[in-house]
Structure formats: structure tokens, C-alpha cells
Amino acid sequence: MKENNIKIRIVTPDDAGQLLDIYTPYVLHTAITFEYQPPTREEFAQRIQKTLTRFPYLAAVQDGEILGYVYASPFHDRPAYDWAVETSIYIRSDCKRMGIGRKLHQALEDVLREQGILNMNACIAYPQTEDEYLTRDSVHFHSRLGYRMVGQFFQCGYKFGRWYDMVWMEKHIAPHLENQPPVRTFDQVRPIIREKYQIE
């Protein structure tokens, strides 16, 4: 699989089935997500639609197949947090360590910067001791992308009969100004990202 054959495009609710196929093993067999049961296809499609009202939801695609996806969601509902987002990324289990995650994250970062977002935050499940359900790979991945550790909550997530920690990591992607311009919606920057980054 060649990375240069992989295209980044905007997800639609019609992609819910393929994305759910990627997400479900994470729910059923890992503690990477603290969900216990996979959502239905309809619920997943609704989640996609809700995200796209404000933020990017992007997929890495090769020959029509989705290999991974990434999206942003509100960091907090209060308006003073408008310039910060929480990010999530999932890669198909047979496509890990191929550069897809880095490619997806770079595309997300580019789009968020065009929107006027300043802070990317990642909420990551974290094992005190690595086990068959959870490693520290996600922390290492985000560290390589320029994130820094900013907080840790201990034994706050219970799954598979075990307690797991949760950490927050953060990356600043644009300057913080005294008179900060308002954030633009994803729809407002679609023409820009189509022309500038060839994200359709």
C-alpha cells in the first residue's frame, strides 16, 4: 500500500457503515474507547451529521475503501472555549503503522487552522501497566505530532473488569491574540480547503 495513493476526503453520513466497521473492534476488543457497545449505523450517521455542522470529519481513502478517519468535536460548550477542540482518530486494524494516521492528522490540523482553531486537545485512555486491551501507543503517536501532556486522571475508566487512567494532551496550532477573530464553521472553509488542500 502506497501512502501517495491515499486521498483525504470529507466524510458523509452515508459512510457510517464503513466507519463503524473500523470503530467496532476498538469498542469490543480494546479500552481505547470507553464505550461498551458499538453504536448502531443510524446513531453513527447522526454523530457524523452533528459533527459536520461545525467541524471537519475526514477519511483516508484508497480505491474507494476507507482506511481511517479523524474528526474534531467541541472541547467545551461555553463560548470562551470556541478556539479549542477535542480530536479523535481511528485507523483500520490492518492499516496501522503505514503513515495514515499522520496524514489524516495533518489534514485535520490544516482545516482547523483555516477555521481559526488554536488548540487541539486529545483525551486518551492510558494504562498504568500496558495490557492486551490498552497500550501507550496513542500517547506516543500524539507526542510525535507535537502534543504535550497536560493532565492525568487516575482510575476513572472501568472496562473489561479493569481500571484505566485518562490523560489530556494538547497542541497549539496558531497564535493566541488579544483580539482573537471568531472561529468559522466548517462549511465556511470548505471552498478554501478544496482549493488549497484538495480535500473534497
Side-chain angles (χ1 to χ4, degrees):
M1 182 181 297
K2 295 183 179 180
E3 186 183 344
N4 58 1
N5 292 332
I6 297 171
K7 306 297 182 186
I8 305 297
R9 70 163 172 83
I10 300 167
V11 167
T12 75
D14 291 338
D15 295 316
Q18 281 197 71
L19 269 59
L20 193 54
D21 286 344
I22 294 172
Y23 182 61
T24 294
Y26 286 97
V27 177
L28 297 179
H29 306 301
T30 82
I32 289 172
T33 170
F34 284 166
E35 283 201 89
Y36 282 6
Q37 296 297 325
T40 65
R41 182 171 179 167
E42 292 73 21
E43 182 182 352
F44 208 92
Q46 291 172 2
R47 293 183 187 184
I48 293 170
Q49 189 61 55
K50 181 178 180 181
T51 296
L52 289 171
T53 60
R54 290 182 61 186
F55 299 115
Y57 207 129
L58 307 175
V61 181
Q62 186 176 59
D63 299 327
E65 292 189 21
I66 295 178
L67 310 181
Y69 64 93
V70 65
Y71 64 93
S73 54
F75 177 64
H76 199 289
D77 290 334
R78 301 286 170 86
Y81 293 98
D82 281 354
W83 294 267
V85 296
E86 181 180 347
T87 63
S88 300
I89 185 167
Y90 292 94
I91 307 300
R92 206 171 74 184
S93 58
D94 61 338
C95 297
K96 293 181 179 180
R97 304 187 189 281
M98 296 180 179
I100 297 169
R102 179 177 291 275
K103 190 178 183 76
L104 274 169
H105 188 278
Q106 185 58 60
L108 180 68
E109 185 174 328
D110 290 339
V111 176
L112 291 173
R113 192 179 294 107
E114 294 292 342
Q115 287 188 253
I117 297 296
L118 310 178
N119 295 18
M120 297 176 73
N121 301 284
C123 178
I124 301 171
Y126 187 82
Q128 293 186 8
T129 302
E130 292 184 317
D131 60 27
E132 66 270 33
Y133 301 114
L134 188 64
T135 69
R136 296 173 182 163
D137 285 355
S138 186
V139 168
H140 299 322
F141 170 77
H142 285 82
S143 293
R144 290 193 295 270
L145 294 175
Y147 285 74
R148 64 188 179 95
M149 191 81 74
V150 293
Q152 183 168 355
F153 295 84
F154 295 91
Q155 295 181 302
C156 60
Y158 182 75
K159 193 172 181 179
F160 304 123
R162 304 177 187 187
W163 286 101
Y164 294 101
D165 297 354
M166 182 270 285
V167 298
W168 278 103
M169 299 186 74
E170 180 181 69
K171 181 178 183 179
H172 290 180
I173 61 173
H176 294 67
L177 308 174
E178 184 174 346
N179 296 304
Q180 195 71 45
V183 172
R184 294 186 285 182
T185 67
F186 181 52
D187 278 342
Q188 288 175 311
V189 302
R190 276 185 189 241
I192 298 171
I193 65 172
R194 185 180 300 115
E195 179 179 352
K196 192 172 179 179
Y197 304 106
Q198 289 75 55
I199 299 175
E200 298 290 342

